[in-house]
């Protein structure tokens, strides 16, 4: 069930709403940052958006005036890594399972092909089954496990290394 979502590149004017959304998504406990741990201010994100180079992109999923999701694809200027981006994605609770992640990844793929990228990679907490299912649906494969990678609520948890190779 897809919603009426518009996917677009983030612009500096999105900084305040995007920082709020990132913090809300991180409250899920399924992201790298602990709830409340990220200290990014809208002004910092605005500067990052203004200075974004061609190796990276931030996509937003917008419904009306509300941001419902985001996808950061961070590239590298190093010659040996220019074919790769690392992805972080977040969808507002209550909006998950509605096709927003699929739309963000489809838009990312178009951008990545435009940039002649070969590899899209990410990490995900092993027990985050809905996210793993989305990534596999989008063509990502588990390449390995980072044992005891994170410490969450008094327990060590594993992360999957996942990647998708864009064929020609």
């Amino acid at each position: 069930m897809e919603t009426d979502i518009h996917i677009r590149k983030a612009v500096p004017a999105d900084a305040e709403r995007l920082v709020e959304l990132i913090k809300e998504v991180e409250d899920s406990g399924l992201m790298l940052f602990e709830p409340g741990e990220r200290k990014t201010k809208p002004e910092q994100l605005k500067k990052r958006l203004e200075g974004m180079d061609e190796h990276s992109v931030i996509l937003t999923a917008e419904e009306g005036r509300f941001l419902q999701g985001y996808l950061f694809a961070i590239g590298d200027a190093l010659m040996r890594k220019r074919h790769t981006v690392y992805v972080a994605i977040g969808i507002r609770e209550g909006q998950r399972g509605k096709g927003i992640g699929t739309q963000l990844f489809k838009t990312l793929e178009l951008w990545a092909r435009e940039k002649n990228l070969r590899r899209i990679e990410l990490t995900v907490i092993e027990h985050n089954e809905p996210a793993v299912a989305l990534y596999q649906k989008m063509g990502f494969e588990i390449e390995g496990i980072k044992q005891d990678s994170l410490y969450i609520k008094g327990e060590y948890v594993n992360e999957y290394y996942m990647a998708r190779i864009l064929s020609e």
Side-chain angles (χ1 to χ4, degrees), residues 90-107:
I91 311 293
R92 186 183 302 278
E93 191 172 2
Q95 298 299 313
R96 298 177 191 140
K98 296 182 177 182
I100 295 170
T102 299
Q103 291 180 60
L104 284 164
F105 274 113
K106 285 180 179 178
T107 303

Side-chain angles (χ1 to χ4, degrees), residues 1 16 27 30 32-33 38 47 102 113 125 130 133 135 138:
M1 151 177 108
E16 191 167 330
D27 284 346
L30 296 171
L32 178 61
F33 284 77
R38 184 182 298 272
K47 282 184 180 167
T102 299
R113 289 186 184 283
I125 295 172
Y135 305 148
M138 299 311 299

Side-chain angles (χ1 to χ4, degrees), residues 66 79 86 94 114 140 150:
F66 299 101
M79 291 298 291
Y86 180 84
E114 215 175 81
F140 286 77
L150 301 174

Side-chain angles (χ1 to χ4, degrees), residues 3-166:
T3 58
D4 188 25
I5 295 287
H6 175 65
I7 307 296
R8 62 174 175 78
K9 286 184 183 177
V11 296
D14 293 323
E16 191 167 330
R17 293 184 303 152
L18 193 50
V19 164
E20 289 172 13
L21 176 60
I22 291 167
K23 287 179 180 177
E24 181 182 323
V25 169
E26 287 173 347
D27 284 346
S28 71
L30 296 171
M31 304 297 280
L32 178 61
F33 284 77
E34 285 282 332
E37 183 177 13
R38 184 182 298 272
K39 302 300 181 204
T40 304
K41 302 271 187 274
E43 310 80 58
Q44 294 168 304
L45 183 56
K46 182 178 181 195
K47 282 184 180 167
R48 184 173 186 182
L49 287 164
E50 289 169 345
M52 190 76 77
D53 66 25
E54 72 273 7
H55 305 293
S56 302
V57 69
I58 299 174
L59 301 174
T60 61
E62 191 172 42
E63 184 177 34
R65 295 185 7 255
F66 299 101
L67 295 183
Q68 303 292 11
Y70 60 85
L71 185 150
F72 282 60
I74 307 304
D76 200 314
L78 293 175
M79 291 298 291
R80 293 182 177 187
K81 297 271 297 169
R82 276 198 192 154
H83 66 287
T84 300
V85 288
Y86 180 84
V87 170
I89 183 172
I91 311 293
R92 186 183 302 278
E93 191 172 2
Q95 298 299 313
R96 298 177 191 140
K98 296 182 177 182
I100 295 170
T102 299
Q103 291 180 60
L104 284 164
F105 274 113
K106 285 180 179 178
T107 303
L108 172 65
E109 181 179 345
L110 293 173
W111 176 84
R113 289 186 184 283
E114 215 175 81
K115 299 292 181 186
N116 294 315
L117 298 180
R118 174 92 172 146
R119 178 182 171 85
I120 303 170
E121 57 189 26
L122 55 84
T123 56
V124 60
I125 295 172
E126 184 178 46
H127 65 261
N128 188 350
E129 294 170 8
V132 172
L134 169 65
Y135 305 148
Q136 288 176 324
K137 172 182 144 182
M138 299 311 299
F140 286 77
E141 295 181 11
I142 296 171
E143 293 184 330
I145 297 176
K146 293 172 68 175
Q147 296 285 332
D148 293 349
S149 171
L150 301 174
Y151 189 72
I152 301 173
K153 296 182 181 172
E155 293 185 11
Y156 292 99
V157 298
N158 299 337
E159 284 184 292
Y160 288 132
Y161 271 117
M162 296 185 78
R164 175 168 180 212
I165 305 299
L166 298 175

